[in-house]
Amino acid sequence: MRNILKENFLVSTFLVFYLIHSMQIGIGVLDFRSISQHAGQDAWISIIISGLSIHIILWLLYQILNNGKGDLIAIHKELFGKWIGGLFSFLFVIYLLILGFTVLRVYVEIIQLWVFPQLSVWFFSFVLLLTVSYFVIKGFRVVTGICFLSTLYLVPILLTFLFPLKFAHYSNLLPIMDHSMTDILGSARNATLTMSGFELIFIFYPFIKRPDKSAKWAHLAILSTTLIYVVLALITFVFYNQDQLQHMLWSTVMFWKIIELPAIERLEHLGIAIWLFIVLPNICLTLWGAHRGLGQLIPINKRVLIIILISALVAVSALFETRSMIDQLRAFTGEISFYFIYGYIPFLFILQKIIYKIRGNN
């Protein structure tokens, strides 16, 4: 798979850091309510546990790819054959579309809640997806550039989240380890959707120069993401008590309301607008991955395929109208992310080892 790609389609190895980091930083930064649902003020420990477990899964993922012959589509075909492998690959494409759609719909809901309550969901989704489709059609290098710029934009935005420390109540973090390990692991499970996104390596692996050397950049990206989430979780927990946090929508957005600037009265409006550049790589990369995967499974024109994908996402976005439906969507996406990351990836690793050993013996 990889050696048939021309050099001008490949990206440098270090850019894997920006690809993974930009995928993991998205809507999860703006809300720590679900993560703290079980472990309360100890949920920052859950984030650390989740980050450490992701490092293990990432190692398994690279073992699968390094031993395989291309991306996940090719590996499925090699292990399961054309038809069953194609079915698994199609399910992976659906998974990518669900990830991207969840980010899109949740971001639109944030805009409706804080800025434009009467915003048309389908129209905004159509405009945003139309922009994303332009980047997707231009190719993976353009999508990588979006991810790189998004990481640069993130730095000054994260600095604004330090303002609440002026009103911090550090006693909110006490007592430490007040929850059982079951509760802490429950919150770690809820953090799966927040920490997901690294599995896109399955689809863009052949587009990396010397992909087997990119693992250190991938691990560095997950480490930096984990540190960011731990710091932001601690800031959130010292600013809100747990009762406030569980009854507040998008608690991190409230941080922008306490910042007073002479020229800007409503900084949260500006922050939500700028956050578009943070969630844009989430949508771009997942849509590119789905487009790439379907393009290998179905012989269809690329432009026709992207039109079909956009039309389907816009149509589905209009179906999720209420907040409860959006919460159910987030919960559903978190569940399938959990089973894919902690179930399917280890299963695929073990199965690949077994099949290769049997074929080697024969």
Side-chain angles (χ1 to χ4, degrees), residues 18-26 196-198 200 281-282 285-286:
Y18 299 97
L19 287 164
I20 295 179
H21 189 270
S22 61
M23 269 303 301
Q24 290 188 306
I25 299 293
S196 65
F198 69 94
L200 266 295
N282 291 214
L285 203 52
T286 51

Side-chain angles (χ1 to χ4, degrees), residues 159-232:
L159 294 178
T160 63
F161 293 142
L162 298 178
F163 280 86
L165 291 177
K166 184 168 61 173
F167 309 100
H169 298 279
Y170 295 99
S171 60
N172 289 349
L173 297 177
L174 301 176
I176 298 177
M177 290 296 293
D178 187 44
H179 296 79
S180 66
M181 184 55 65
T182 302
D183 291 334
I184 292 176
L185 292 178
S187 287
R189 175 171 179 165
N190 287 351
T192 303
L193 179 59
T194 300
M195 299 296 293
S196 65
F198 69 94
E199 59 271 31
L200 266 295
I201 302 175
F202 267 138
I203 201 72
F204 66 72
Y205 182 82
F207 289 82
I208 307 170
K209 296 178 182 178
R210 296 183 300 170
D212 53 321
K213 304 295 183 182
S214 65
K216 62 179 180 181
W217 295 105
H219 283 285
L220 185 61
I222 291 175
L223 176 61
S224 63
T225 302
T226 304
L227 291 176
I228 289 174
Y229 276 118
V230 168
V231 171
L232 290 179

Side-chain angles (χ1 to χ4, degrees), residues 239-295:
F239 185 75
Y240 302 105
N241 60 49
Q242 289 301 312
D243 289 335
Q244 291 174 323
L245 189 60
Q246 293 303 318
H247 294 86
M248 185 169 294
L249 298 177
W250 309 111
S251 54
T252 313
V253 180
M254 288 292 293
F255 291 165
W256 288 322
K257 291 183 69 68
I258 68 175
I259 302 175
E260 296 180 359
L261 297 177
I264 304 176
E265 184 177 350
R266 300 293 298 272
L267 187 63
E268 69 272 17
H269 290 177
L270 179 61
I272 291 172
I274 297 176
W275 205 256
L276 173 63
F277 296 99
I278 307 303
V279 301
L280 192 61
N282 291 214
I283 306 172
C284 283
L285 203 52
T286 51
L287 189 59
W288 176 87
H291 182 264
R292 166 78 178 174
L294 278 179

